Amino acid sequence: MNTYIYINDLRIRAHHGVLPQERQVGADFLITLRIKCDMSRSMLSDHVVDTINYAALCQLVRREMAVSSRLLEHVAGRIARAVFHEFPQTEALDLWLTKVNPPMGADCSGAGVELHLINDKTN
């Protein structure tokens, strides 16, 4: 059975970027997480303790996004490590981190990074 928890396009204002002005002024970011986990207990119990709590997951993402970084790769890596640490039942993680309207001299809706990671500790 493959079951997933996901948060789609969580919008957060943060201060990430290579240019000092980006870290000072800030920008909007979209974060999508897809977490593979066993939901068999929560499907029967109807108790939040038997699953990954969406609110706690959002709080984790907000906490990591509040730490300014130059590279989105660094931010995404921190988020992934925190998810694996705080939610050890995570079997795998897909993460998309998009900087909305990046200052790169191109007309695009966003640019970012995508991670697909497996938690070796759950196998």
Side-chain angles (χ1 to χ4, degrees):
M1 172 171 56
N2 291 321
T3 52
Y4 301 87
I5 299 288
Y6 71 90
I7 295 175
N8 197 30
D9 288 340
L10 176 63
R11 184 176 288 267
I12 296 178
R13 183 114 182 130
H15 296 83
H16 308 300
V18 173
L19 302 174
Q21 183 178 359
E22 292 178 279
R23 293 190 305 279
Q24 183 179 26
V25 173
D28 289 333
F29 295 84
L30 297 174
I31 301 98
T32 294
L33 294 168
R34 183 174 177 249
I35 296 174
K36 183 178 181 187
C37 59
D38 182 357
M39 285 193 265
S40 57
R41 287 185 68 188
S42 60
M43 288 169 35
L44 295 172
S45 73
D46 198 28
H47 296 291
V48 72
V49 296
D50 292 331
T51 191
I52 294 176
N53 184 313
Y54 302 121
L57 186 58
C58 284
Q59 183 179 16
L60 177 153
V61 172
R62 284 188 184 100
R63 183 186 74 219
E64 294 301 329
M65 289 294 290
V67 178
S68 182
S69 293
R70 288 180 183 86
L71 300 178
L72 295 185
E73 293 88 340
H74 187 254
V75 180
R78 279 201 330 266
I79 293 170
R81 285 189 299 276
V83 168
F84 286 149
H85 176 75
E86 294 186 29
F87 303 103
Q89 69 271 43
T90 299
E91 297 173 25
L93 167 72
D94 298 322
L95 185 152
W96 293 265
L97 174 56
T98 303
K99 186 172 202 170
V100 178
N101 195 24
M104 58 185 201
D107 185 16
C108 70
S109 61
V113 298
E114 180 177 332
L115 303 180
H116 302 280
L117 304 172
I118 296 171
N119 186 357
D120 293 334
K121 295 177 186 173
T122 61
N123 296 329

